[in-house]
Amino acid sequence: MDSQNSQQSQASPSPHMFQVDLRGLVDLLSHHLYSSPKVYLRELLQNAVDAITARRAEQPGAPARVRLHADGRTLRVEDTGVGLTESDVHALLATIGRSSKRADGLQEARSDFLGQFGIGLLACFLVAERIRVVSRSARAPGAPPVEWTARDDGSYTVRTLPDAERPEPGTTVHLVARAGAGDWLTPERVRALARDFGSLLPYDVRVGDEPVTDLPAPWDRPHPTPAARRVALARHCHDLFGFTPLDSIDLDVPLAGVRGVAYVLPAAVSPAQRATHRVHLKGMLLTERAEQLLPDWAFFVRCVLDTDSLRPTASRESLYEDETLAAVREALGERIRSWLTGLAANDPERLAAFLSVHHLGVKSLARHDTEMLRTMLPWLPFETTDGRLSLEEFARRHPVVHFTRAVEEYRQVAPIASAQGIGVVNGGYTYDSELVEALPSVRPGTVVAELDADTVTAHLDAVDAAEELALSGFLAAARARLDPLGCDVVLRAFHPLSVPALHLDDRAARHEQARAEAEGQADDLWAGILGSLRGSAPRARLVLNHLSPLIRRIGALRDAELIGTATESLYGQALLMAQRPLRPADSALLNRAFIGLLEWATHGEDGHR
């Protein structure tokens, strides 16, 4: 007995089948898998095209037609495909997720198919309350037509029909609209969706009597001249994306089964903006929002292409990130790179027009691609003290290519450096400093150096010792006024004369200035810690121009308080000229200097009266 009980306890429990709530599943599909009910038509087209493909694999001369008829309440989709027998209907239509492409020895031909029959038909419940399928198999000519009717409550019926109901092989799908979904089944909506999804399908697809397919694809059509082709593709881009491109780039990667075109945007866009592209899978539109199709640096183009190698996600509305997509992305990036190098070699005017808009994207590519940097070097524009030039031209003019890492640094030294014959490149814009530093790798012998305050000061003329000694009182008063701000005062002679004072610092000086400011605001503990971090970096400096008539007049003052006020004014004006962010202490100084000068001016006026 114990043995019998033990055997019973070890016996496997009886299996149970999952019960599927079809309405709940449709709700899940509509809210979480598909982006819009419009995909129902894509799924119907996919099933029809796959059925024709399956029949032609066995009967190459079989007709290849898909016809759609809509009236706002119902939709009928007829195809001349392989059709289904009664056993196929039970196995495929009534089993969610079962694929007809797995059966009847067609596994090896699976790459020819677009979708999965069961899930595709289920998607029709997004817009339909009832689906009726009438089909006759081309593989079993003697089998009668079969009818499968399903409702959105999960029930279905199957029955055979007389031969007259479907004399020829193929399938007809009838949809009856759900309440409130009739708009999806109007002739106008069906026609627009069919054209959007199926314009590149390889078979004869029509809505009523109007053709849907438009072959060959725009990038495969013959044209009398390259210029005529460019005009035709520009028209296609405008119809598809709503803009007229600067140029078009052929995307032909035979090994990856990719054909298409990339359109160059006519206006600059942010590199952070996600580019979206149109991807067709074996002629059927898969998505209008493919984001990972191109390298990140190629944000200046929008693509439309057809592929037979990329893998769609479950919803078939985006691409699955895998090794194939990575290889295609690299190959497409290479096509765009080749287009750029071709322009540089053969069409400099078009290249210049492109770079005037999209130089940022090319710089992004060039900083990681030495060959691209070498190719684009004569063309990429940079802001310099000699005007807007390429690095190649600038390096020919200057034995040392100085650059700044921040726009503010460039703006404060550019006028002075230019007057002293120092060539400076503004490296403060995105990617520019990286490219300047990479210059010696593609132009051997070029000397590149970051410009700092010491370099600028060294190029300014020293003042005669006797003249500087005569101004020692003035300089002492000026230094005493700016010392609390962490700024030294030096006297030099430089051009242009219109610049009375120049504020110079570097990152180390700004770091020390910020540390000192934080130390002054901290409690005893943190002040001690920050004090221990005090560096030996040089402080910022206010360089007074001895050639400036204004500085000479201020230097002749005898009133120490007035000298201090004038020095603060020069300091504030130099900061503003450099477009430096003002600290609270700097703002207070500017306000104090302004009020002080007003008081001095009005006091002198009162005394005069």
Side-chain angles (χ1 to χ4, degrees):
M1 180 68 67
D2 291 341
S3 175
Q4 183 177 358
N5 290 338
S6 176
Q7 290 177 356
Q8 289 177 348
S9 65
Q10 294 176 5
S12 299
S14 299
H16 298 277
M17 301 301 291
F18 284 104
Q19 299 299 311
V20 176
D21 179 352
L22 187 59
R23 285 175 177 165
L25 185 56
V26 170
D27 183 68
L28 182 68
L29 291 176
S30 63
H31 287 90
H32 300 286
L33 184 62
Y34 296 122
S35 62
S36 165
K38 70 180 182 180
V39 298
Y40 87 92
L41 192 67
R42 182 195 64 197
E43 301 295 346
L44 287 174
L45 287 175
Q46 284 184 345
N47 286 337
V49 169
D50 285 344
I52 293 173
T53 301
R55 184 177 180 185
R56 283 203 156 187
E58 301 175 2
Q59 304 173 17
R65 298 188 303 273
V66 181
R67 298 291 183 266
L68 298 91
H69 305 275
D71 60 15
R73 171 62 182 161
T74 63
L75 172 66
R76 185 174 80 254
V77 181
E78 302 174 353
D79 69 66
T80 57
V82 69
L84 301 171
T85 63
E86 184 175 359
S87 61
D88 291 336
V89 167
H90 284 289
L92 300 175
L93 299 189
T95 305
I96 295 171
R98 179 73 60 85
S99 174
S100 61
K101 274 69 79 175
R102 300 180 189 274
D104 299 319
L106 288 177
Q107 177 67 35
E108 66 277 4
R110 182 143 192 202
S111 64
D112 294 333
F113 298 105
L114 297 173
Q116 186 166 319
F117 195 85
I119 285 289
L121 197 60
L122 182 64
C124 293
F125 281 118
L126 296 174
V127 300
E129 66 178 13
R130 182 160 59 90
I131 303 174
R132 176 172 173 257
V133 177
V134 176
S135 186
R136 184 162 193 164
S137 175
R139 295 184 184 134
V146 61
E147 177 192 71
W148 177 82
T149 304
R151 297 183 176 276
D152 61 1
D153 61 3
S155 64
Y156 71 93
T157 59
V158 178
R159 65 183 180 127
T160 58
L161 301 175
D163 287 350
E165 291 285 338
R166 180 83 201 192
E168 300 296 329
T171 300
T172 303
V173 179
H174 303 260
L175 302 186
V176 178
R178 300 175 67 176
D183 184 56
W184 291 104
L185 273 61
T186 62
E188 297 78 16
R189 177 67 69 89
V190 169
R191 188 180 303 112
L193 291 177
R195 286 175 175 168
D196 197 35
F197 284 123
S199 63
L200 300 184
L201 289 174
Y203 304 133
D204 178 14
V205 182
R206 296 172 184 263
V207 177
D209 295 327
E210 296 186 31
V212 167
T213 51
D214 187 18
L215 296 176
W219 48 86
D220 287 330
R221 294 171 188 169
H223 297 279
T225 64
R229 183 175 187 270
R230 197 153 46 237
V231 170
L233 288 177
R235 188 181 307 114
H236 173 249
C237 176
H238 190 273
D239 294 341
L240 200 62
F241 293 116
F243 65 86
T244 300
L246 286 177
D247 206 349
S248 56
I249 308 167
D250 283 318
L251 301 178
D252 184 8
V253 188
L255 291 179
V258 172
R259 285 282 295 155
V261 63
Y263 293 116
V264 181
L265 291 167
V269 294
S270 168
Q273 179 179 331
R274 276 289 188 180
T276 56
H277 312 286
R278 287 177 63 96
V279 177
H280 295 255
L281 180 62
K282 305 178 185 72
M284 181 72 72
L285 178 66
L286 179 72
T287 177
E288 301 172 280
R289 300 185 300 276
E291 293 185 347
Q292 302 89 18
L293 192 63
L294 296 179
D296 290 341
W297 55 262
F299 54 82
F300 49 83
V301 299
R302 295 292 179 268
C303 297
V304 53
L305 55 82
D306 188 27
T307 175
D308 59 17
S309 65
L310 297 180
R311 178 183 170 193
T313 59
S315 66
R316 293 197 288 281
E317 293 187 281
S318 58
L319 298 172
Y320 190 82
E321 183 67 49
D322 57 11
E323 293 181 358
T324 303
L325 179 57
V328 167
R329 181 163 50 235
E330 183 177 349
L332 295 180
E334 182 58 38
R335 293 294 182 274
I336 297 174
R337 183 186 288 107
S338 298
W339 169 77
L340 283 171
T341 56
L343 285 187
N346 304 312
D347 202 338
E349 290 186 4
R350 284 170 64 201
L351 177 63
F354 165 76
L355 288 177
S356 67
V357 178
H358 295 298
H359 57 275
L360 197 59
V362 179
K363 287 181 177 180
S364 174
L365 171 59
R367 66 195 176 117
H368 297 305
D369 189 324
T370 301
E371 191 57 38
M372 179 58 66
L373 177 59
R374 183 179 290 109
T375 302
M376 293 291 108
L377 202 58
W379 309 102
L380 287 174
F382 289 79
E383 183 179 358
T384 78
T385 48
D386 291 355
R388 197 159 181 80
L389 297 175
S390 70
L391 287 182
E392 174 70 27
E393 175 65 20
F394 189 80
R396 283 201 297 265
R397 297 185 183 187
H398 298 278
V400 178
V401 178
H402 289 99
F403 73 98
T404 63
R405 293 189 184 276
V407 174
E408 294 83 0
E409 292 178 11
Y410 175 81
R411 287 172 177 166
Q412 71 175 336
V413 301
I416 311 303
S418 179
Q420 311 309 311
I422 307 173
V424 184
V425 178
N426 184 356
Y429 296 115
T430 306
Y431 310 133
D432 282 10
S433 61
E434 296 175 69
L435 293 176
V436 175
E437 290 180 299
L439 189 55
S441 67
V442 295
R443 198 176 189 277
T446 303
V447 179
V448 173
E450 184 175 357
L451 187 69
D452 56 23
D454 289 335
T455 303
V456 177
T457 305
H459 280 77
L460 304 180
D461 294 333
V463 178
D464 180 77
E467 293 187 41
E468 187 166 1
L469 182 61
L471 294 171
S472 58
F474 158 69
L475 293 175
R479 287 165 181 154
R481 185 57 67 96
L482 296 186
D483 184 68
L485 296 171
C487 183
D488 292 332
V489 177
V490 297
L491 189 65
R492 292 290 187 273
F494 56 88
H495 292 274
L497 303 182
S498 58
V499 179
L502 176 66
H503 182 269
L504 293 178
D505 63 1
D506 53 26
R507 288 192 303 277
R510 289 194 293 276
H511 176 75
E512 174 61 20
Q513 196 174 53
R515 185 210 59 78
E517 185 176 356
E519 180 182 357
Q521 298 174 355
D523 56 29
D524 292 342
L525 175 61
W526 282 108
I529 294 174
L530 291 169
S532 68
L533 299 176
R534 182 180 296 111
S536 59
R539 304 201 302 171
R541 67 199 70 173
L542 183 68
V543 183
L544 302 180
N545 187 0
H546 186 54
L547 300 181
S548 167
L550 177 61
I551 296 299
R552 289 181 177 272
R553 288 196 296 271
I554 294 175
L557 297 173
R558 294 293 177 262
D559 186 337
E561 185 62 29
L562 184 55
I563 290 175
T565 299
T567 302
E568 289 179 337
S569 299
L570 290 169
Y571 173 83
Q573 188 263 353
L575 281 180
L576 294 175
M577 289 295 293
Q579 299 187 32
R580 284 277 185 215
L582 297 180
R583 300 170 298 162
D586 297 330
S587 299
L589 174 143
L590 279 171
N591 183 62
R592 183 171 64 248
F594 178 71
I595 297 299
L597 289 177
L598 284 178
E599 289 181 347
W600 176 79
T602 54
H603 175 74
E605 188 68 23
D606 291 342
H608 179 72
R609 285 198 300 267

